Amino acid sequence: MDAAGLNRGTLRVGLTGGIGSGKSTVAKLLATHGAVVVDTDLIARQLTLPDGAAIRAIAKAFGADLIAADGALDRARMREIVFTDPLKKRQLEAILHPLIGTETDAQAGAAGAATVVFDVPLLVESGGRWRAKVDKVLVVDCREATQIERVVARSGWTVEAAQAVITQQASRAQRRACADAVIFNDGITPEQLAAQVRALWQHWTRAPH
């Protein structure tokens, strides 16, 4: 086993994309081909549910008023805080990142010889940390206007709120520069997207890595 708890020779893919790009859809498509998807955003949400492993530390660092009545993190309020205060953002990351890393390695280690796809929204923003852990980086890309349209329709956010998140994330050019492959998920049908994912899966799983 290597440092991440994976069998040597196992293909490791880092999947990323901006908010509203369709990254989660691509992750689901890869799972249908046999990939084990490790969703770091889902892990983070689970850590901040009632009795989650991060709740006590968050309450101590940020105050009990950041914990909702049901015992979960008030994600909307926390989002507002970290978007406007870089120090608070780093405090939250210092709590969450080690816990996310531990659970990520555990899930990947349980995958056996299967291809592992790490679904990491902020893969590029993390610098070289994730690049060193994966064999391939797959970026799901689309126009910024499409991102905003999808987020507003999906989440009920304002255009301004969606734009604020996009501004906080890496640019499209930065993500594409880190990619081994890019899927442009804009102006295509679900069937065409599935065909792109299938072709890439066949290419990567048949080729030596």
Side-chain angles (χ1 to χ4, degrees):
M1 302 288 254
D2 66 13
L6 294 168
N7 294 316
R8 295 190 183 277
T10 297
L11 177 62
R12 298 168 292 182
V13 177
L15 172 65
T16 195
I19 187 172
S21 64
K23 175 180 59 61
S24 296
T25 300
V26 170
K28 291 174 183 175
L29 289 168
L30 288 166
T32 68
H33 292 289
V36 172
V37 177
V38 179
D39 185 337
T40 60
D41 201 37
L42 176 60
I43 291 170
R45 290 198 297 273
Q46 291 171 337
L47 290 169
T48 56
L49 289 174
D51 298 320
I55 288 295
R56 183 172 297 180
I58 289 172
K60 182 177 180 180
F62 293 91
D65 59 333
L66 263 295
I67 308 303
D70 65 356
L73 173 67
D74 187 332
R75 293 174 63 84
R77 288 194 60 201
M78 181 62 81
R79 187 183 303 115
E80 292 176 3
I81 290 170
V82 298
F83 276 176
T84 57
D85 189 331
L87 177 59
K88 295 294 186 182
K89 181 181 180 182
R90 288 194 292 272
Q91 282 183 290
L92 181 62
E93 289 172 345
I95 293 169
L96 289 178
H97 284 182
L99 296 171
I100 292 170
T102 298
E103 180 60 22
T104 294
D105 289 349
Q107 291 187 22
T115 293
V116 178
V117 173
F118 298 95
D119 183 340
V120 187
L122 302 181
L123 184 148
V124 174
E125 292 85 341
S126 71
R129 182 169 62 89
W130 271 105
R131 176 74 263 193
K133 293 183 70 169
V134 299
D135 304 299
K136 304 286 187 182
V137 171
L138 171 58
V139 168
V140 184
D141 185 37
C142 68
R143 294 176 298 118
E144 187 173 300
T146 302
Q147 290 180 262
I148 293 172
E149 179 182 324
R150 288 172 178 167
V151 172
V152 169
R154 177 187 72 195
S155 304
W157 290 10
T158 64
V159 170
E160 292 74 19
Q163 182 66 63
V165 173
I166 291 170
T167 300
Q168 290 276 334
Q169 295 183 335
S171 69
R172 291 177 61 199
Q174 287 171 324
R175 279 192 294 268
R176 293 174 73 99
C178 294
D180 293 292
V182 176
I183 290 179
F184 187 62
N185 181 30
D186 205 332
I188 61 175
T189 65
E191 292 75 21
Q192 289 170 324
L193 176 62
Q196 287 191 60
V197 172
R198 181 170 60 252
L200 184 63
W201 172 266
Q202 292 172 346
H203 174 66
W204 275 357
T205 56
R206 290 173 182 172
H209 51 272

